[in-house]
Amino acid sequence: MTDVIAWPPFGITKWELAELHPQSRSVGLIGGRARTSSALRSRRVAKASVRGIGPDKAGAGYVRMLNRLWGGGPRLVRVTCLPTLWFRAKGNLDLRNTVLEWSAGNDDLLWSVDADELDWFYGSYPLQGVPMADGMWHGLEVTGLPPNTLVARPSDVIKVGVGDADPQSAYCLSVVRSDADGMALVRTDRAEAFTASGVVSIGEAEVITFETIDVPRSVQGLSSDFEYVWEFREVFEDEYSDGFAVVDPWS
């Protein structure tokens, strides 16, 4: 299998996450009408500046060891991505919800009430959502929010059906504020209506496998920090005949 190396614990100073949508454009011979269509696969791209010194004064060392681990193979890395608005999001409410899994020894423990299975979740707010149309947009009506509060920004990831076998997610399209009852209608970019309902999580991180465009180099001075600038392009497991194997040498 093709190794995908976990992203080292760098100190990040700049970050960009975006999409690349290749297009094909043609002009008709009769009438001169332009036609634009998608070409090739859409991919997420990212750019990051990391500190050469950083936490534990280890940044440049991580860069070198990451490059050595790749060797002559594909330069693939698994990154838990910061949100697009990562700086402004600092100090925001934590509206994420995570399912808790119970076990005894090596055996899973299942909880139930009467004949119904009981799920446990960890989060500061017990958010629930149901599908709801907002004009031409597909969205979610979310309850359990803190009242009269800004709860989401455009490009924040919202997920519904957390803990289910097939949770559904999308990006928030605009700024979202809850009302006095802690309810908000979240408009998303989802092309089709949500069919899932249940526990909602807002602000989930995106975990993406990237190929590095090139391994950066940087010159270390005597008295100040310095930066390495990375550029990434998303890759997909089905593009590699032997699949992916995630390797984390840092933990």
Side-chain angles (χ1 to χ4, degrees), residues 166-194:
D166 187 24
Q168 297 175 354
S169 63
Y171 292 105
C172 301
L173 272 179
S174 60
V175 169
V176 181
R177 290 180 171 84
S178 60
D179 63 17
D181 296 320
M183 189 275 286
L185 179 56
V186 181
R187 180 185 293 180
T188 75
D189 71 334
R190 190 175 170 88
E192 299 178 350
F194 287 94

Side-chain angles (χ1 to χ4, degrees), residues 72-89:
R75 296 192 294 262
L76 304 186
V77 64
R78 179 69 59 88
V79 183
T80 300
C81 295
L82 296 168
T84 301
L85 299 168
W86 67 279
F87 179 77
R88 293 296 182 188

Side-chain angles (χ1 to χ4, degrees), residues 222-241:
L222 290 175
S223 59
S224 62
D225 209 340
F226 58 107
E227 291 184 338
Y228 291 88
V229 180
W230 295 84
E231 292 193 53
F232 303 111
R233 170 183 174 272
E234 184 178 16
V235 293
F236 301 97
E237 189 166 3
D238 60 18
E239 296 173 324
Y240 292 78
S241 59

Side-chain angles (χ1 to χ4, degrees), residues 99-143:
V99 65
L100 294 178
E101 297 180 353
W102 296 80
S103 62
N106 294 323
D107 299 323
D108 293 334
L109 280 180
L110 300 179
W111 292 74
S112 62
V113 176
D114 296 327
D116 298 325
E117 186 174 331
L118 176 65
D119 292 324
W120 290 75
F121 295 89
Y122 173 78
S124 300
Y125 297 92
L127 307 184
Q128 294 284 325
V130 294
M132 188 70 64
D134 186 10
M136 62 179 290
W137 308 103
H138 301 300
L140 290 168
E141 184 180 78
V142 181
T143 57

Side-chain angles (χ1 to χ4, degrees), residues 4-238:
V4 179
I5 309 298
W7 183 239
F10 287 124
I12 292 181
T13 60
K14 301 183 180 77
W15 173 256
E16 178 210 26
L17 180 63
E19 280 80 25
L20 179 64
H21 302 287
Q23 290 185 339
S24 174
R25 187 176 186 276
S26 59
V27 178
L29 295 177
I30 300 175
R33 289 186 176 181
R35 180 180 178 183
T36 302
S37 60
S38 61
L40 305 178
R41 200 170 188 171
S42 295
R43 301 173 190 271
R44 287 167 289 189
V45 292
K47 190 170 184 177
S49 295
V50 304
R51 297 172 60 188
I53 297 177
D56 298 321
K57 300 180 175 61
Y62 279 129
V63 174
R64 186 174 182 189
M65 296 314 300
L66 185 57
N67 193 29
R68 287 180 63 84
L69 289 171
W70 282 327
R75 296 192 294 262
L76 304 186
V77 64
R78 179 69 59 88
V79 183
T80 300
C81 295
L82 296 168
T84 301
L85 299 168
W86 67 279
F87 179 77
R88 293 296 182 188
K90 287 183 178 180
N92 271 10
L93 289 168
D94 188 351
L95 299 177
R96 294 171 296 175
N97 280 295
T98 305
V99 65
L100 294 178
E101 297 180 353
W102 296 80
S103 62
N106 294 323
D107 299 323
D108 293 334
L109 280 180
L110 300 179
W111 292 74
S112 62
V113 176
D114 296 327
D116 298 325
E117 186 174 331
L118 176 65
D119 292 324
W120 290 75
F121 295 89
Y122 173 78
S124 300
Y125 297 92
L127 307 184
Q128 294 284 325
V130 294
M132 188 70 64
D134 186 10
M136 62 179 290
W137 308 103
H138 301 300
L140 290 168
E141 184 180 78
V142 181
T143 57
L145 294 161
N148 300 318
T149 303
L150 194 156
V151 295
R153 291 180 170 87
S155 79
D156 282 350
V157 175
I158 183 169
K159 182 184 293 185
V160 63
V162 177
D164 294 347
D166 187 24
Q168 297 175 354
S169 63
Y171 292 105
C172 301
L173 272 179
S174 60
V175 169
V176 181
R177 290 180 171 84
S178 60
D179 63 17
D181 296 320
M183 189 275 286
L185 179 56
V186 181
R187 180 185 293 180
T188 75
D189 71 334
R190 190 175 170 88
E192 299 178 350
F194 287 94
T195 57
S197 59
V199 177
V200 167
S201 184
I202 300 175
E204 292 281 338
E206 298 178 75
V207 180
I208 304 173
T209 299
F210 289 114
E211 176 186 24
T212 61
I213 304 303
D214 203 356
V215 180
R217 297 173 61 188
S218 186
V219 178
Q220 180 175 352
L222 290 175
S223 59
S224 62
D225 209 340
F226 58 107
E227 291 184 338
Y228 291 88
V229 180
W230 295 84
E231 292 193 53
F232 303 111
R233 170 183 174 272
E234 184 178 16
V235 293
F236 301 97
E237 189 166 3
D238 60 18

